Amino acid sequence: MKNCLSIVFIAFLLYSCGKELNTEGILVTNINELNNAINKATPGREIILANGIWTDVQIKFFGKGTKEAPIKLRAETPGEVFIEGQSFLHLGGENLIVSGLYFRNGYTPSSGIIRYKIGLDSVANNSRVTECVIEDFTQPSRLISDRWIEFYGKHNQMDHCYIAGKSNDGNTLMVWHTGNENTNNHHQIVHNYFGPRPRKGGPRGETVRIGNPQMTPGYVNVSNNFFEACNGEVEIVSDKADFNIFRNNIFYKCEGSLVLRHANYGTVDGNIFIGDDDSDFYGGIRLVNTGHWITNNYFYKIRGEAFRTPLAVMNGIPNSISNRYKQVTDAVIAYNTWVDCKSPWQIGIGQNRASSDVLPASEIRSLPPIRTTIANNLIYNTAADPSPIVDHDSINGILFKNNIIDNNGVKYSKFRVLNNENIKMKQVNEWLFVPENNENDFLKETYKGYDFGSIKTDLFGDSRLEKNRIGAINKFETAKKFVIDKKKYGPEWFTTEKIEKEPTIYKVTSKKGELNKMINQANSGDIIELVDEIYHVTTSIKIDKDITLKSIGENKTQLLFEGQENTPVFEMNPKGVIHLDNISIKGQKHHMAFAPLEKNMSSAYKLFVDNCVIDGFDIVLIASKGSFADTITVNNTSIQNCENGIILAADEKGDYNAEMVTFNQCDFFNINKDVINFYRGGYDESTIGGVLTLSNNNFSSCGSKEESGLLIKTRGIINVNIKDNTFKNNPIKLVALLWGAKNNHHSNNTIIQSGYIKVEEQQKLDLLY
C-alpha cells in the first residue's frame, strides 16, 4: 500500500512540475510550472509553453546556455500561445532562444514587453527572439511611456518578428548604450515586419531608436526589415550611436525618415523608400554628424518637406551639446536614385538664423555641411520639378560629381551641379523605374572618389567592380525580376494580409434603445440606416469601431439628445470611427455632440461628418487629456447656436490632441467662443505638428464671448491653411494669428466686420529639451 502511494505521489510531483516530453523538452501549462522549469534549466533544455491564453504572466527567463546547446523557450504551436493582460518577457544570462509567442490584448506593467535584461543588472548576451508577434499591446493611456522591445547586453538578435500598433509614448524598439556592458554590442535586428505605428500627436514616437546621444560605438545591424506606415513621428529610425548599419530595408508609406541623429560613421545602403501622392509627409534619409555613407538607396514619390525631405543634409549648431545638432562633415552620398520625389536634395535643412530672437543661441543651426561628397546619383522625374535642389544656407562645402537629372525635358541649371540628360527609363512595376541596359551610355561615366571601390554592389546585389553605372541600379535584368515579398518579413506563421469584408447594412427604427443596441451588435465597417424622421437618444452612443450612420432618404433624420448633463451624443472610444451622413443632431446647453473618454484613450479615434446639422450644444467637440483624433473631417455641415465649438486643447509638452483637422464648405453661426481652438503646448520638431485646413466656409455672428479676441486659435500648430472662407459680423479682434515661419498660410478670404488675419513670423514657444 505504501509503495502504491509513493508511486502516485511521485507521479503527481512530476505532473505539477511540467510534463516531460523527452530528455530535452518540458511542457508547462502555467506560470508556476514555467518558473520551476526556468530555475532548473540547463544547457540544451527546451521549455515549451502549452497552447492557449496566458494572462498576467511576467516571465523572467534567466539561464546560461552555450552556443552549441542554448536554452530554448518556445510555443507549443507557433502563434497559438497568447500572452495577454499585464505581461512581459525579460531575458537574462547567455545563449537563450525564444520563439512563437503572440502578445495581444494587454500591456506591460514594466519598462519593456520583451527586454534583454532582468531587473537592474542581469543583462542577456548572445540571445535571440524569433518568430514572435507584438500587436496592439499598448498602454491604456497614450501618455504613459514604455518601450516594447529593449536591447541590452551584446550580440543579441531579434528576427522574423511582427511588431505593430504602439500608440502610446515611447519608442517601439530601443537599443540601450548605458554602460560598457551595453556598448560595442553588435545586435542584429533583421527580417522583421514593423507594421503600422499610428500617428501619435507628440514626440517620442520612433519605431527604432539606437543609443543615447553619447555617440558610443554600436555596430548594430538593422537589415532586411519591412517598415509599413510607421507614422509615430518624424524619425522612423533614430540612430544615436556610431558605426551602425542600415541595409536592404523597405520603408513603405512611412510618414518619417531614417535619421542619423546623434550618430557618426553610419552606413545606409540598399534601402527602398516608397511613397505616393496620398501624403505630403513621407520621408527619406536625414543626416547629422560625421562620416556617413549613403549608397545604393532608391526613393519613389517621397514628398515630405523640411525634416522629412527625401535627402535632408542638416545644418549644425556651433559647439553643439550632444543631444542637439552637430555639423555634417565627411559624408558620402553616392549611387542613389530618386524618382518623382519633391525637391529631393535639400542642403542645410534646419537653418534658423531668423529665429535668433525667440530661440537661445544653443538652438541656432548656422553651420552648413562641409567636406562632403555627393556623386554618381540619379534624379528622374515624369513631371518637371522646379527645384530639385534646395540650398537653405551654403553648398560650398560639398563636392558634387557626375550627378544626372532627367527633369522631363525641362533643363535645370541652378547651382550647376546636375547634368541634364534624357534617360531611357522603363517602369517595371508600380514604383520601380530602371534605366535600360543598352541605352544611356552617359551613365557609365562614374566618379571614382576616395574609397569608392568599397561600394562593390548595387541596390539588388549586382557587382559594380566590372560594370558600373550612375544611380542605385546597375543591371536592368536583375531589377525587373525584383518583387516585394512580404512573407520574407516577420513570422512564417503570421499573415499581415487583412481580410476585407463587405459591410452589413442595418435598417434601424426609432424604437427606444434600438439604435444603441444595433450599434453595439454591428461589426466594424457596418452601415446603420435610419428609417424614421426623429430619434430620441437618451444615453450616449458608444463608438468603439468603424460605424457609418446615415439617413435613408433625402431629408435629414433628427437625433434629439436627451441624455444626462455633461454627456456627449457620441462617446468616442479607442479605435472608434464614426461617419455621419445627412443627419441633424440637436442638443441642449448642457450637452456635448462629441467627446472622447475622460481617460484610457489608448489609441486614436476618427470623425467624419458630411451634410449634417449640429445645433444647440454647450460644446461641439472637446478633447480630453491624453485623447487623440487622427482625423476630423467635416464637410457641407452647419454648426450653429452652440456655446463652444471645437476644443482640441488638452495636452502640453509637445503633445496635441488631433492630427488632420479639415472643415470644408461648412457654416459656423452663433458659436459664442472657442469656435476652433487647436492648441499645441511646447515645441519640438519630431512630429507633423498638426494640420488644420479651413476652406470655403462661412463664419458669422461667432465669438461674442471670446475673451482672447481670436476667432480661430492655432497656437503652436505647424500646418495651417485658411483659404476661400468668408468671415462676416464676428465681434472679434483677429480672425487668426498665424505662425509665419512655419507652414501657416491664408489666401482669398473675405473678411467683413470681423477683424483681420495677422501673421507673426516668429513665435516663442517653450522648448521640450
Side-chain angles (χ1 to χ4, degrees):
M1 183 67 178
K2 290 183 178 179
N3 290 337
C4 291
L5 288 174
S6 297
I7 292 170
V8 171
F9 181 69
I10 292 168
F12 174 77
L13 283 178
L14 288 173
Y15 182 82
S16 67
C17 293
K19 182 179 179 182
E20 290 280 356
L21 297 182
N22 52 50
T23 57
E24 300 298 332
I26 181 170
L27 180 70
V28 296
T29 61
N30 58 58
I31 189 64
N32 290 330
E33 292 180 5
L34 174 58
N35 287 336
N36 187 64
I38 291 172
N39 289 336
K40 295 180 177 180
T42 55
R45 173 63 80 181
E46 185 172 63
I47 303 169
I48 302 164
L49 275 66
N51 290 346
I53 297 174
W54 292 62
T55 303
D56 297 335
V57 289
Q58 296 166 19
I59 304 170
K60 298 178 180 179
F61 181 25
F62 181 87
K64 292 193 175 182
T66 66
K67 182 178 181 181
E68 296 76 18
I71 301 173
K72 297 180 181 179
L73 175 67
R74 70 167 176 87
E76 179 181 7
T77 303
E80 294 187 25
V81 172
F82 303 101
I83 312 296
E84 300 188 355
Q86 296 187 42
S87 300
F88 60 66
L89 167 67
H90 293 177
L91 297 84
E94 301 280 345
N95 293 291
L96 310 176
I97 298 177
V98 177
S99 65
L101 308 183
Y102 192 157
F103 291 83
R104 67 178 192 181
N105 299 333
Y107 59 93
T108 175
S110 184
S111 58
I113 301 170
I114 295 176
R115 188 174 190 242
Y116 294 80
K117 183 178 181 180
I118 299 173
L120 297 177
D121 55 8
S122 181
V123 301
N125 296 303
N126 302 295
S127 295
R128 178 187 180 198
V129 175
T130 182
E131 294 273 332
C132 290
V133 167
I134 305 176
E135 186 173 35
D136 297 339
F137 208 73
T138 199
Q139 295 288 338
S141 169
R142 76 185 182 104
L143 298 182
I144 298 174
S145 181
D146 69 3
R147 297 168 181 86
W148 279 12
I149 300 136
E150 294 185 293
F151 274 81
Y152 289 88
K154 298 179 188 290
H155 298 284
N156 292 315
Q157 178 166 317
M158 172 170 277
D159 65 272
H160 295 94
C161 292
Y162 177 85
I163 303 113
K166 191 177 197 295
S167 55
N168 63 303
D169 193 272
N171 20 75
T172 305
L173 185 154
M174 175 71 188
V175 178
W176 289 102
H177 275 239
T178 50
N180 290 336
E181 69 272 24
N182 303 306
T183 60
N184 283 296
N185 48 59
H186 297 270
H187 296 315
Q188 302 292 310
I189 302 167
V190 294
H191 298 289
N192 299 292
Y193 197 122
F194 292 95
R197 169 150 196 182
R199 295 164 178 156
K200 178 183 168 293
R204 303 171 302 277
E206 307 99 322
T207 296
V208 173
R209 175 177 160 183
I210 301 175
N212 301 314
Q214 287 86 11
M215 291 173 281
T216 49
Y219 300 98
V220 178
N221 178 33
V222 182
S223 295
N224 297 292
N225 301 287
F226 192 92
F227 295 83
E228 179 177 13
C230 294
N231 301 336
E233 63 148 84
V234 66
E235 298 182 8
I236 306 165
V237 176
S238 184
D239 185 15
K240 300 184 178 184
D242 294 349
F243 304 108
N244 296 321
I245 297 170
F246 305 90
R247 180 171 281 128
N248 299 337
N249 302 288
I250 296 176
F251 296 85
Y252 183 77
K253 292 191 174 182
C254 294
E255 291 182 336
S257 299
L258 191 168
V259 182
L260 304 173
R261 181 68 170 85
H262 303 306
N264 296 302
Y265 307 106
T267 297
V268 182
D269 178 73
N271 302 280
I272 296 173
F273 298 79
I274 301 173
D276 207 339
D277 297 322
D278 53 1
S279 175
D280 291 331
F281 300 103
Y282 296 141
I285 296 173
R286 177 156 57 97
L287 278 69
V288 189
N289 286 32
T290 292
H292 305 303
W293 281 63
I294 314 299
T295 56
N296 294 317
N297 301 287
Y298 180 92
F299 307 79
Y300 174 73
K301 284 195 174 181
I302 302 301
R303 303 296 180 89
E305 299 179 347
F307 281 25
R308 289 178 172 85
T309 52
L311 173 67
V313 184
M314 288 203 66
N315 257 30
I317 297 170
N319 303 310
S320 175
I321 58 177
S322 60
N323 71 338
R324 302 310 302 134
Y325 295 91
K326 292 185 179 291
Q327 186 178 27
V328 174
T329 72
D330 305 289
V332 172
I333 301 160
Y335 296 112
N336 303 284
T337 295
W338 289 263
V339 174
D340 285 340
C341 294
K342 182 180 179 182
S343 298
W345 299 359
Q346 300 210 25
I347 314 299
I349 281 284
Q351 187 276 109
N352 61 346
R353 294 186 186 91
S355 299
S356 58
D357 290 338
V358 297
L359 292 175
S362 59
E363 287 297 312
I364 302 303
R365 295 181 287 258
S366 59
L367 296 177
I370 58 172
R371 300 194 307 271
T372 289
T373 300
I374 299 180
N376 302 333
N377 299 287
L378 187 153
I379 298 173
Y380 179 81
N381 293 317
T382 60
D385 183 352
S387 54
I389 300 177
V390 178
D391 178 17
H392 295 268
D393 192 348
S394 171
I395 63 172
N396 293 335
I398 296 177
L399 175 67
F400 293 89
K401 287 289 186 178
N402 296 43
N403 299 293
I404 290 177
I405 183 171
D406 183 335
N407 203 27
N408 195 38
V410 177
K411 299 289 185 182
Y412 181 78
S413 58
K414 190 174 182 180
F415 307 119
R416 294 193 290 272
V417 297
L418 290 172
N419 300 324
N420 289 275
E421 298 286 357
N422 181 21
I423 304 173
K424 301 296 182 183
M425 188 79 79
K426 188 168 183 178
Q427 184 174 0
V428 299
N429 60 39
E430 63 179 10
W431 57 268
L432 183 57
F433 289 71
V434 185
E436 295 186 12
N437 267 359
N438 297 324
E439 307 285 345
N440 309 311
D441 285 344
F442 48 83
L443 295 179
K444 299 176 184 178
E445 302 300 320
T446 60
Y447 170 72
K448 296 176 178 58
Y450 174 74
D451 208 22
F452 273 36
S454 64
I455 311 172
K456 296 180 180 179
T457 58
D458 74 346
L459 173 63
F460 297 118
D462 283 320
S463 175
R464 289 192 179 277
L465 299 181
E466 296 179 3
K467 178 183 178 183
N468 198 14
R469 297 205 297 175
I470 288 169
I473 300 168
N474 213 28
K475 193 174 180 181
F476 178 84
E477 287 78 7
T478 304
K480 73 177 182 179
K481 297 176 184 177
F482 179 81
V483 294
I484 295 175
D485 182 5
K486 292 185 179 181
K487 295 179 181 178
K488 292 172 21 180
Y489 310 95
E492 185 177 352
W493 54 264
F494 183 81
T495 178
T496 60
E497 302 299 328
K498 305 302 180 184
I499 299 174
E500 298 289 338
K501 77 174 195 69
E502 289 294 320
T504 301
I505 301 175
Y506 299 95
K507 297 186 186 303
V508 178
T509 71
S510 59
K511 181 180 177 181
K512 184 177 180 180
E514 185 173 335
L515 176 58
N516 273 30
K517 180 181 178 181
M518 188 54 64
I519 290 177
N520 288 336
Q521 292 178 354
N523 293 315
S524 190
D526 288 347
I527 298 171
I528 309 293
E529 292 186 341
L530 305 176
V531 300
D532 292 333
E533 292 183 3
I534 299 176
Y535 290 69
H536 294 270
V537 180
T538 59
T539 59
S540 295
I541 299 172
K542 178 181 178 180
I543 304 298
D544 59 359
K545 64 195 79 169
D546 190 338
I547 290 292
T548 296
L549 202 61
K550 61 189 296 186
S551 299
I552 197 168
E554 293 185 3
N555 295 328
K556 289 179 173 61
T557 293
Q558 296 184 56
L559 299 184
L560 303 181
F561 188 54
E562 299 166 355
Q564 296 181 1
E565 290 188 9
N566 301 316
T567 60
V569 183
F570 296 98
E571 178 195 87
M572 305 306 296
N573 284 246
K575 296 187 178 180
V577 181
I578 184 70
H579 305 256
L580 299 178
D581 185 3
N582 198 34
I583 295 173
S584 176
I585 310 169
K586 175 72 174 177
Q588 300 178 47
K589 291 301 182 183
H590 51 259
H591 289 148
M592 298 168 281
F594 308 92
L597 296 178
E598 284 292 329
K599 59 181 180 179
N600 291 343
M601 284 299 292
S602 60
S603 56
Y605 65 95
K606 297 181 181 181
L607 178 62
F608 301 90
V609 180
D610 190 42
N611 192 30
C612 293
V613 173
I614 301 171
D615 183 18
F617 289 90
D618 178 31
I619 304 172
V620 177
L621 167 65
I622 184 167
S624 58
K625 187 174 179 63
S627 68
F628 184 65
D630 179 274
T631 306
I632 298 171
T633 299
V634 185
N635 291 309
N636 193 31
T637 290
S638 294
I639 302 173
Q640 59 195 34
N641 304 317
C642 296
E643 186 69 13
N644 298 273
I646 315 298
I647 305 175
L648 301 168
D651 285 331
E652 293 284 347
K653 296 183 178 179
D655 291 290
Y656 48 102
N657 296 104
E659 197 71 80
M660 302 293 180
V661 181
T662 302
F663 292 89
N664 179 55
Q665 293 185 327
C666 294
D667 291 320
F668 292 80
F669 173 74
N670 192 28
I671 311 299
N672 290 332
K673 58 184 177 179
D674 282 327
V675 178
I676 296 175
N677 185 355
F678 194 4
Y679 172 79
R680 181 193 198 203
Y683 173 65
D684 79 342
E685 296 163 303
S686 297
T687 59
I688 293 172
V691 179
L692 175 64
T693 303
L694 302 179
S695 59
N696 301 293
N697 303 293
N698 295 308
F699 296 81
S700 60
S701 302
C702 293
S704 61
K705 297 181 181 180
E706 183 53 66
E707 294 181 1
S708 71
L710 268 172
L711 191 70
I712 310 298
K713 303 175 187 175
T714 60
R715 178 69 172 172
I717 301 301
I718 301 297
N719 307 282
V720 178
N721 192 2
I722 302 175
K723 62 180 182 180
D724 301 318
N725 302 283
T726 297
F727 301 90
K728 184 177 181 179
N729 298 331
N730 300 289
I732 42 84
K733 181 180 179 181
L734 294 176
V735 168
L737 176 59
L738 301 183
W739 193 357
K742 299 301 177 181
N743 192 30
N744 284 205
H745 304 283
H746 68 100
S747 60
N748 300 323
N749 296 288
T750 300
I751 302 177
I752 302 171
Q753 295 183 343
S754 299
Y756 64 102
I757 296 175
K758 181 179 179 181
V759 177
E760 197 170 75
E761 192 64 23
Q762 302 292 336
Q763 291 185 353
K764 186 173 183 178
L765 292 179
D766 293 333
L767 296 173
L768 302 182
Y769 28 77

